[in-house]
Amino acid sequence: MMRPLYRAGHCRLIQSAALSFLIAVTLINSCFSTLAQKGPNRRGSHTSHSRDALTPEAREMVELASAVVCKERIGDPKGSVPIDDMQGRPSLPVQSPEAVAGAKRAQRLLPIARNLVVVSLRQLARDYNLIGSKRSTLRIQRAIARVEAVRNVRPDVDSRDNASVFLKNPHTIIFGTIFLAGLPSDEGIISVLAHELVHIGDGGEDSLSSLFRALGNRSSQLTGLKIHGQRAEELTCDMVGMLVARAYVSATPSYEPLPRRISRSLEHNCVDQDEGDDDHLSPRSTIRALLTLSPTLSRELVLGR
Ligand SMILES: [Zn+2]
């Protein structure tokens, strides 16, 4: 059966060969409708159970760190464009200087992203106690093998402000030209590459479903939001994106402030129109959920070290 398509803070995973039809369906149903889906139902993600799992201090740290991310974006010449802003922009030709620069950056960063995703997946599998049995270890290994087989980034005008992977063509990440141009930093691009690589790792056999479930349950517990099914997968992809960008910052020291570099992996979520859907938390809730799961990163954002 055809798997649903994924818009993520701009991503789709497509499993069928009927590409043109699927792209149309994705764009209409998954991507652009997100901003149109307003009203009380969009708030239906909140559950009634308490948020006691997070201390008031920890919650305040997350709020402060989230504010840092969006403040850094404004002052950063390499700051990312928020995704609601990207959605309103006109199509960008593949040959435009910004798209060319973005595509080169993405292709250059792909091997690094692959390696860091593998490290991150192994770490998360350990953190969530998922390497107990032979079967679970094997599943992670198969996911890693798929990640390691990705070779290309293909810029695409029609994908606009999305990135996507087709399971029929699991060696290529398709990157919309508006998205490429809207992420003018290594940290921004590598976080999206890592996000897509996790989808590819999961593949058609759901090799990472245990990890998605564990991370979704944990973040549901901490935030009080409902993060299951597709939402859990998307949040895990975003989580790996953020962790990979953080690891990249460590591996490539510079004089730029640490909070500025970390923020670049998240700041495309600094939207004005903060709407989620069944498959995705809203962009700003995504920032908060990721930082809730990563107290160390929150502290680095707030304290600068
Ligand atoms: Zn995604």
Side-chain angles (χ1 to χ4, degrees), residues 108-123 144 147-151 190 194 197 240 244 247-248:
R108 169 173 61 80
L109 291 171
L110 179 60
I112 305 167
R114 273 194 320 251
N115 291 341
L116 294 176
V117 165
V118 168
V119 172
S120 177
L121 285 177
R122 287 203 172 110
Q123 183 62 48
I144 286 171
V147 168
E148 287 176 334
V150 178
R151 287 287 170 269
I190 206 166
L197 287 169
V240 174
V244 161
Y248 176 76

Side-chain angles (χ1 to χ4, degrees), residues 6 8 11 195-196 199 234 237:
Y6 306 154
C11 129
H195 178 116
E196 299 303 323
H199 280 312
E234 296 297 341
C237 292

Side-chain angles (χ1 to χ4, degrees), residues 5-23:
L5 311 175
Y6 306 154
R7 172 211 71 102
H10 293 84
C11 129
R12 307 189 300 263
L13 174 59
I14 297 173
Q15 198 165 339
S16 161
L19 300 185
S20 56
F21 170 73
L22 290 183
I23 288 169

Side-chain angles (χ1 to χ4, degrees), residues 124-145:
L124 286 171
R126 276 194 297 273
D127 291 349
Y128 286 89
N129 293 320
L130 301 173
I131 312 200
S133 69
K134 204 171 173 181
R135 185 167 168 267
S136 54
T137 305
L138 192 68
R139 292 179 79 193
I140 299 280
Q141 281 171 352
R142 289 164 81 116
I144 286 171

Side-chain angles (χ1 to χ4, degrees), residues 50 87 117 143 149 183 206 233 276 278 296:
S50 82
Q87 283 175 342
V117 165
L183 304 168
D206 300 331
E233 174 164 349
D278 289 345
T296 307

